[in-house]
């Protein structure tokens, strides 16, 4: 468990000199590895962020998973199946990275299933039509890429290395989603209306994905100082808007924001006020699908118990033979 592992790796005898040497390594762009000395707060911050990221990948399979059997063609079905499989793999990479910090995967999973751990609020929204699958790929995965590419330069080695493969696969997911939207937007009036409806429903939740405004973010400054994060929430959000709005206009779609405009003086797209009360409500467990998502994960965990038991029994047998 985390507390046990922490006692073996970190003691209460750390000094200001230890902290100064650690920060000097961070400032010099050195990678911190699991067996290196690190402040307890750095370890806790990483465990929180990496585990929430892992939970988001696992829960993120659910909104799309229920469309695998309803995909409009065999090609779409195969691509969506591969994407959902990728998301499961991302969760496993990230749980493994968190384990190098001395926390047991079982503990992390228990935190998710008990509701004590958070995951991205975006996955608590329903997928009402096939166009939602396109919108998730284009918008949700597009936002994820903006967040995750800088993580390839995270100061913690295992997290940074895991993100290299994750980002490559997320780029494929984003292109897949945009291609679905291109097809729908260029199709019949009914199909274009589906694409527009999906954009209307997913746009604002995607802007919330980057987290609260910089002034309201309790972890951002510390994560930036330790180079766990490289950009602030607001900077990443603006970068996403600047990249995505022209893509939507090429599709012939409109954004559900009457205040959206291009600022010639700055070269940025300016957008309206985000309803942060909705973000807080969904994050607190009162979103459209919060209960459904956790119930699905608990059910899957219970139904997979026999697989975990069999794997543990086999591992025990192999250790005995060895």
């Amino acid at each position: 468990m985390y507390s046990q592992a922490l006692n073996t790796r970190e003691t209460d005898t750390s000094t200001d000199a230890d902290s100064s040497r650690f920060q000097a390594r961070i400032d010099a762009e050195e990678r911190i590895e699991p067996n290196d000395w690190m402040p307890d707060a750095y370890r806790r911050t990483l465990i929180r962020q990496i585990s929430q990221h892992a939970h988001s990948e696992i829960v993120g399979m659910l909104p799309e998973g229920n469309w695998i059997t309803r995909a409009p063609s065999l090609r779409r079905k195969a691509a969506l199946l591969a994407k959902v499989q990728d998301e499961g793999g991302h969760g496993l990479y990230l749980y493994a990275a968190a384990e190098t910090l001395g926390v047991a995967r079982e503990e992390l999973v228990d935190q998710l299933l008990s509701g004590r751990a958070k995951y991205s609020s975006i996955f608590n929204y329903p997928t009402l039509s096939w166009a939602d699958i396109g919108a998730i790929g284009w918008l949700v995965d597009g936002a994820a890429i903006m967040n995750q590419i800088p993580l390839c330069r995270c100061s913690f080695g295992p997290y940074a290395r895991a993100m290299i493969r994750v980002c490559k696969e997320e780029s494929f997911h984003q292109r897949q989603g945009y291609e679905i939207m291109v097809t729908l937007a260029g199709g019949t009036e009914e199909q274009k209306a589906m694409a527009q409806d999906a954009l209307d429903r997913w746009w604002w939740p995607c802007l919330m994905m980057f987290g609260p405004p910089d002034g309201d973010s309790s972890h951002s400054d510390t994560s930036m100082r330790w180079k766990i994060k490289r950009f602030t929430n607001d900077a990443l959000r603006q970068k996403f808007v600047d990249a995505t709005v022209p893509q939507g206009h090429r599709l012939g779609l409109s954004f559900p924001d009457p205040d959206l405009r291009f600022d010639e003086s700055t070269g940025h797209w300016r957008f309206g006020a985000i309803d942060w009360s909705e973000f807080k409500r969904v994050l607190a467990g009162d979103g459209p699908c919060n209960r459904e998502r956790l119930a699905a994960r608990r059910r899957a965990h219970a139904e997979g118990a026999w697989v975990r038991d069999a794997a543990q029994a086999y591992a025990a047998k192999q250790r005995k033979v060895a």
Side-chain angles (χ1 to χ4, degrees), residues 53-61 87-88 90-91 94 148 166 170:
H53 192 166
H55 300 330
S56 298
E57 297 285 355
I58 298 299
V59 177
M61 296 188 292
E87 306 294 3
H90 297 172
L94 293 164
Q148 294 172 4
V166 170
E170 292 290 2

Side-chain angles (χ1 to χ4, degrees), residues 34-152:
N35 289 327
D36 293 341
W37 185 91
M38 63 186 74
D40 188 18
Y42 178 83
R43 190 189 304 274
R44 288 197 306 268
T45 298
L46 282 168
I47 289 174
R48 176 189 57 79
Q49 179 169 326
I50 297 172
S51 63
Q52 288 182 5
H53 192 166
H55 300 330
S56 298
E57 297 285 355
I58 298 299
V59 177
M61 296 188 292
L62 299 175
E64 295 172 302
N66 63 6
W67 277 94
I68 291 174
T69 58
R70 295 181 284 168
S73 69
L74 183 60
R75 182 173 76 90
R76 297 293 192 196
K77 188 188 300 288
L80 183 57
L81 187 63
K83 180 187 177 184
V84 172
Q85 178 177 277
D86 285 347
E87 306 294 3
H90 297 172
L92 296 181
Y93 304 153
L94 293 164
Y95 282 133
E99 285 181 308
T100 67
L101 290 158
V103 60
R105 186 176 309 194
E106 293 80 5
E107 181 178 350
L108 299 178
V109 172
D110 181 66
Q111 290 172 1
L112 171 64
L113 298 178
S114 67
R116 288 180 288 131
K118 303 295 185 184
Y119 56 87
S120 179
S121 62
I122 195 71
F123 299 119
N124 290 312
Y125 290 86
T127 45
L128 304 180
S129 75
W130 173 251
D132 287 35
I133 304 305
I136 288 176
W138 171 36
L139 300 174
V140 176
D141 292 318
I145 290 168
M146 290 295 179
N147 262 320
Q148 294 172 4
I149 286 179
L151 291 174
C152 295

Side-chain angles (χ1 to χ4, degrees), residues 10-37:
E10 179 131 16
T11 70
D12 293 328
T13 60
S14 59
T15 65
D16 290 342
D18 294 326
S19 298
S20 296
R21 283 192 294 269
F22 176 81
Q23 188 62 48
R25 293 189 62 192
I26 297 291
D27 295 341
E29 298 289 343
E30 292 185 30
R31 284 275 171 82
I32 306 300
E33 298 299 338
N35 289 327
D36 293 341
W37 185 91

